[in-house]
Structures are given as C-alpha cells and as structure tokens.
Amino acid sequence: MLSLRLTNPYDDKMVTIWLEPLGEDYWMRPGEAFTFEFDESDFSERMCGAHFDVSWTNGDLVVWTGALENVWVRDQSGTGLDCGHQRPPSE
C-alpha cells in the first residue's frame, strides 16, 4: 500500500487538494494533515512502478495517483474522508 501524508503548514488559510484523475477535492484547515493511500498491486505493471505525483497549481495542491479506484483519503485520526471534505459553501 502506497501512502502519502500532506500537512497544511499555514496558520491562516485552508489548502485545497485535488485528487486526480478522480477529480475529487479535499480542504485542509491550518495545521491539519491528510494521508492519501492506494493499493498499487493492481497498477504497478501498467504504471511502470506505482507512485504519487504532487504539484502546486494556482495555489492548490494536485495529487496524481494514476489509480481510478481504491484510493483512500484519511485525516490524522485515520477516519476516511469523502470528496468535498470541509469545502466552503459556495458564495
């Protein structure tokens, strides 16, 4: 199982994380950390070695897994998170 932990280092702003290619969004409050996991056993041959790729795009973090399913996002306590976690209400 591959895992990647990301932490929001800011004291005063939320960080948006986009999980691609699934198009899911997760919002981290200051000081929070999320863990992204996926079982690479089904993907490693096709992916030439499974991995995460992380980049900054327009102030958001983008996490690419290469997996189209079986990707889990967890908070610091290990609780699974759903797409849109802590998304601010639209204005």
Side-chain angles (χ1 to χ4, degrees), residues 3-86:
S3 67
L4 171 71
R5 182 181 163 112
L6 298 173
T7 302
N8 181 348
Y10 298 109
D11 293 329
D12 59 347
K13 68 178 183 176
M14 293 181 76
V15 171
T16 308
I17 302 172
W18 290 94
L19 180 60
E20 297 294 355
L22 301 172
E24 296 181 353
D25 63 318
Y26 299 85
W27 297 70
M28 259 193 309
R29 292 187 174 123
E32 284 186 317
F34 294 166
T35 301
F36 294 77
E37 303 173 334
F38 79 97
D39 182 357
E40 78 280 11
S41 62
D42 293 337
F43 304 100
S44 58
E45 184 176 317
R46 178 173 53 113
M47 294 173 61
C48 300
H51 64 277
F52 287 104
D53 186 28
V54 180
S55 60
W56 279 104
T57 303
N58 299 323
D60 296 339
L61 277 172
V62 179
V63 176
W64 285 89
T65 66
L68 296 174
E69 55 186 35
N70 299 327
V71 179
W72 301 275
V73 182
R74 304 185 190 285
D75 66 11
Q76 290 166 274
S77 70
T79 302
L81 305 177
D82 293 324
C83 174
H85 178 74
Q86 300 181 145

